[in-house]
Amino acid sequence: MRTLIFSLFLLPLTAFGQTLEACQQAAERNYPLIREYGLIEKTTELTLSNIRKGWLPQLSASAQGTVQSDVTAFPPQMQALYEQMGLEMEGLGKGQYRLGIDVQQNIYDGGNMESRKEVARRQGELEATQNEVKVYQVRRSVNEMYFSLLLVEAQIRLNDDLQQLLEANEQKLASMLQRGTAAESDWQSVKAERLNARQQLTSLLAQRSALRRMLSTFCGIEVKDVEKPPLVQPETDARNMRPELKAIDAQLRLADAQEKALATAWRPKIGLFAQGYYGYPGYNMFEDMLKRTPSWNAMVGARITWNIGALYTRRNDKAKIRLQRESAEVGRERFMLENQMQQIGQDENIMRYSRLMADDEEIITLRQNVRKAAESKLEHGIIDVNDLLKEINGENAARIGQAIHEIEMLKEIYDLKFTKNI
């Protein structure tokens, strides 16, 4: 089949114009989602930076004022004894206040921050690959507009040939009409057919203008003419992995990171702390009972915390991650099946168009011979003008069919390259 494709006669290539590859590259650069790559990267880096700052000392300031219904006091007997000694024990005041600073420094977190950083990195990677999937679809959109424009331009060229052919026959009939060998209705029929072809050209020119504007807007460059891409041999194996499969792999790596993070959630954490405040009462209760004046107070120490609440949901959390993996694998199988079905359909279409193209040139030659014979018969009065128009339209339809078969086969080949990412 591929040998047949390369042996087929192709219409002449457009000499100048935007290539398909250039349009695809321009469209990808112009597509708004391309900016998402930089935003995703910056967001991920900010998230990682915030997590790394978890190792910095954590400072907090507080101010507090309270009025209590009761306070710590000496028993009456001890208070009477102090009075005998000449000491007046006022006791703690019910109004208390403090202005303090608390500093905490983690020295061991059970690997929690490292696991959070890995999850953040994998989340950023997944978002980037999902964005890549959307950007990759730009190639398909460019293919649709590009080959539609190629087909319209081919039809415009064939319409011009048709009008020239009709105009030549119209002039012949005008001469025959002057000699009295043709009816005026015959000349009018050919002229009406030429005017009809001119109307079709108006519609084709409008389609071309719309497609050019759409493709130019989509690509972000001015597209005036497009160049017919070369007829390449479809490769058997894909050289690059489709972005959809990359996204599935990234989803699985994220699930692995999330599962490792579960193991660190319930581990104990060790840290140092320092507290200091200015207020009343202080740490020296006895002095504060003698005089109710604010003082400076400080404390340093170490703390170990162990939140076992994460164990309550650990089993369910692991089950959710397992379901995420299964869903990703199902998505992979579904994509591979659909991709394979697309390749089969595209391979069959390429073979079908190649078989059709094998006969196109012969059909055109035969139609051309019949049309020329009809022109000769009309001059000798053997057939009427309707028979001639029928043969002219038949030849034109054959030429349009050849153009459609060639461009549709080219489109199927480049759609297959899209499907295989080659």
Side-chain angles (χ1 to χ4, degrees):
M1 185 271 293
R2 294 188 176 91
T3 304
L4 175 61
I5 292 176
F6 284 95
S7 65
L8 295 174
F9 172 81
L10 296 180
L11 294 176
L13 294 179
T14 304
F16 302 97
Q18 293 288 347
T19 64
L20 176 61
E21 183 179 1
C23 286
Q24 289 177 342
Q25 292 174 352
E28 289 183 358
R29 291 192 300 268
N30 183 60
Y31 203 59
L33 283 174
I34 201 69
R35 303 184 186 94
E36 286 290 329
Y37 285 117
L39 297 177
I40 291 171
E41 183 179 352
K42 290 179 181 178
T43 301
T44 301
E45 183 56 37
L46 290 173
T47 302
L48 292 174
S49 177
N50 286 341
I51 295 174
R52 284 192 292 266
K53 289 177 180 178
W55 288 112
L56 297 177
Q58 305 299 308
L59 280 77
S60 61
S62 62
Q64 176 180 307
T66 61
V67 177
Q68 301 179 195
S69 60
D70 203 355
V71 292
T72 303
F74 286 111
Q77 297 85 349
M78 292 186 64
Q79 194 165 1
L81 179 61
Y82 282 128
E83 290 176 354
Q84 291 176 6
M85 296 171 59
L87 296 175
E88 184 179 353
M89 302 296 292
E90 297 183 35
L92 292 177
K94 293 184 178 180
Q96 301 183 3
Y97 53 92
R98 63 171 61 188
L99 180 66
I101 295 178
D102 189 355
V103 181
Q104 300 188 40
Q105 173 65 59
N106 287 331
I107 59 175
Y108 174 74
D109 70 344
N112 179 261
M113 274 186 271
E114 281 301 318
S115 64
R116 287 172 57 198
K117 287 193 291 185
E118 182 66 14
V119 169
R121 280 192 289 264
R122 296 307 181 188
Q123 183 66 45
E125 181 183 273
L126 175 59
E127 292 178 3
T129 54
Q130 289 173 338
N131 191 66
E132 185 180 351
V133 171
K134 298 175 183 177
V135 173
Y136 186 73
Q137 296 300 320
V138 169
R139 291 175 55 182
R140 181 187 292 276
S141 300
V142 172
N143 282 0
E144 293 292 334
M145 289 183 282
Y146 193 92
F147 286 103
S148 295
L149 184 54
L150 274 177
L151 182 57
V152 170
E153 289 188 341
Q155 290 175 312
I156 289 174
R157 291 192 296 270
L158 292 173
N159 182 277
D160 184 64
D161 294 340
L162 175 62
Q163 288 194 59
Q164 292 181 20
L165 181 59
L166 289 170
E167 186 175 3
N169 281 277
E170 184 182 339
Q171 292 174 356
K172 287 180 183 179
L173 285 168
S175 297
M176 293 171 64
L177 180 61
Q178 291 177 353
R179 296 194 303 267
T181 57
E184 186 175 0
S185 61
D186 293 339
W187 174 78
Q188 290 175 341
S189 295
V190 175
K191 182 177 182 180
E193 194 68 24
R194 180 177 61 82
L195 293 176
N196 182 58
R198 192 166 71 180
Q199 285 184 332
Q200 293 176 0
L201 177 62
T202 302
S203 177
L204 289 171
L205 291 174
Q207 292 180 41
R208 182 176 68 177
S209 177
L211 284 169
R212 281 179 176 176
R213 291 176 60 189
M214 290 170 59
L215 189 58
S216 298
T217 302
F218 197 77
C219 297
I221 58 176
E222 185 178 3
V223 179
K224 290 185 177 179
D225 296 306
V226 289
E227 180 180 333
K228 189 183 299 180
L231 186 64
V232 296
Q233 180 178 1
E235 299 183 21
T236 304
D237 299 322
R239 292 178 298 180
N240 304 308
M241 182 184 295
R242 279 284 294 265
E244 292 86 348
L245 296 177
K246 293 181 182 178
I248 292 172
D249 289 341
Q251 188 174 353
L252 292 173
R253 288 191 290 269
L254 174 60
D256 292 339
Q258 289 172 332
E259 188 171 29
K260 291 179 180 178
L262 289 179
T264 64
W266 62 275
R267 291 176 184 170
K269 298 173 178 56
I270 301 175
L272 302 176
F273 69 91
Q275 297 175 342
Y277 72 91
Y278 178 77
Y280 173 85
Y283 292 144
N284 190 337
M285 291 292 215
F286 288 103
E287 184 176 349
D288 290 332
M289 288 182 178
L290 288 171
K291 52 183 179 180
R292 297 178 179 178
T293 58
S295 60
W296 290 99
N297 301 272
M299 178 189 301
V300 295
R303 180 185 294 121
I304 180 170
T305 58
W306 192 0
N307 182 10
I308 63 173
L311 294 175
Y312 301 153
T313 60
R314 179 178 172 80
R315 178 177 297 180
N316 290 341
D317 291 337
K318 293 188 69 172
K320 287 169 60 178
I321 293 174
R322 184 177 65 253
L323 291 175
Q324 291 176 14
R325 285 199 184 95
E326 292 176 1
S327 177
E329 292 297 346
V330 169
R332 185 198 302 276
E333 293 177 5
R334 183 179 64 253
F335 174 80
M336 294 296 290
L337 176 62
E338 293 175 352
N339 189 268
Q340 185 178 11
M341 297 297 291
Q342 286 180 348
Q343 292 183 36
I344 292 173
Q346 289 161 349
D347 278 329
E348 290 297 322
N349 286 335
I350 292 171
M351 294 177 63
R352 176 167 60 89
Y353 286 124
S354 67
R355 289 192 293 266
L356 292 172
M357 289 177 64
D359 297 326
D360 278 337
E361 195 63 34
E362 184 177 2
I363 292 172
I364 291 173
T365 301
L366 294 173
R367 287 289 186 184
Q368 187 177 32
N369 292 337
V370 172
R371 185 261 304 167
K372 289 179 179 179
E375 289 174 338
S376 177
K377 290 178 181 180
L378 179 65
E379 290 179 4
H380 294 83
I382 300 175
I383 62 173
D384 61 21
V385 73
N386 291 327
D387 293 328
L388 174 61
L389 292 176
K390 178 181 177 182
E391 300 306 333
I392 290 176
N393 289 329
E395 180 186 352
N396 183 62
R399 294 184 184 278
I400 292 176
Q402 182 190 43
I404 291 175
H405 295 159
E406 180 188 4
I407 293 174
E408 286 293 337
M409 187 174 73
L410 279 172
K411 182 178 181 299
E412 289 293 337
I413 290 173
Y414 281 87
D415 281 347
L416 182 60
K417 286 169 62 68
F418 171 85
T419 303
K420 291 183 174 182
N421 193 17
I422 55 179

